[in-house]
Amino acid sequence: MTEITVTGNDTPATAAAEPEIDPRPRRVRLAGPLAAIGALAAGTLFIALVDPNEPGHYPGCPTKLLSGLDCPGCGGLRATHDLAHGDIAGALDNNALFVVLVPVIIFFLGRNVFYAWQGRRPPTPSPRVTQWTFTVLVAVMLLFTIVRNFPLGAFLASG
C-alpha cells in the first residue's frame, strides 16, 4: 500500500512504500503456510490409504458421469494415489497435467514457508503478470481437456 504525505505547499509529496518486513512473530507468520501444507499432507495421506481405484470410495466426476468426457481433473485422485506410492508412470497415465503441476505447487508452498520464516512478505506479482498467468493456465487446461478427449490424445485420458 502506498501512502502519500504532503508537508506543505512548497514541499513535494513523498511516497512511502509498504515495508517488506512482516512484524508478526515467526509462529504466526508460519501458521498459514504450515496449515496449508498440513491439510494437503492429510488429504494426500487419506488418498494414499483409501484407494480411488476401488469403486465406492469416492464420488465420480460429474462431467464424466454426465457427458462421458474427461475434465482436466479426471484421474487426479488416482494420480495422487499413484504418486503417494511412488508410481510416477501410473500417475502420468491417470492425469499428466496434475503430475506436471505438483512440482509447481510444491515450489510455491516452499516459497511461502521460506518467506514466512525470514519474516518477509512474498513479492506480489503485478496484475498484468497475474492475468497472463491465469490466462495461460486456463488455456493449458482447455487444451489438455480437448486433446485428452480425442483419439489422437487418448494416451492422456484418465487411466
Side-chain angles (χ1 to χ4, degrees), residues 57-65 74:
H57 290 239
Y58 300 95
C61 172
T63 304
K64 183 87 167 180
L65 293 173
C74 279

Side-chain angles (χ1 to χ4, degrees), residues 99-147:
V99 175
V100 169
L101 289 178
V102 165
V104 175
I105 294 166
I106 291 170
F107 169 78
F108 281 107
L109 287 170
R111 174 180 166 257
N112 286 347
V113 170
F114 175 76
Y115 278 107
W117 182 267
Q118 289 189 330
R120 298 186 304 154
R121 292 189 174 106
T124 305
S126 70
R128 188 175 194 182
V129 169
T130 303
Q131 182 179 6
W132 180 85
T133 304
F134 179 75
T135 302
V136 168
L137 184 60
V138 168
V140 167
M141 288 172 55
L142 283 172
L143 183 63
F144 178 70
T145 302
I146 292 168
V147 170

Side-chain angles (χ1 to χ4, degrees), residues 57-110:
H57 290 239
Y58 300 95
C61 172
T63 304
K64 183 87 167 180
L65 293 173
L66 294 174
S67 68
L69 299 173
D70 283 343
C71 74
C74 279
L77 288 174
R78 292 187 305 268
T80 302
H81 179 80
D82 290 340
L83 285 175
H85 290 276
D87 183 7
I88 296 172
L92 284 167
D93 184 47
N94 285 307
N95 192 319
L97 181 61
F98 173 74
V99 175
V100 169
L101 289 178
V102 165
V104 175
I105 294 166
I106 291 170
F107 169 78
F108 281 107
L109 287 170

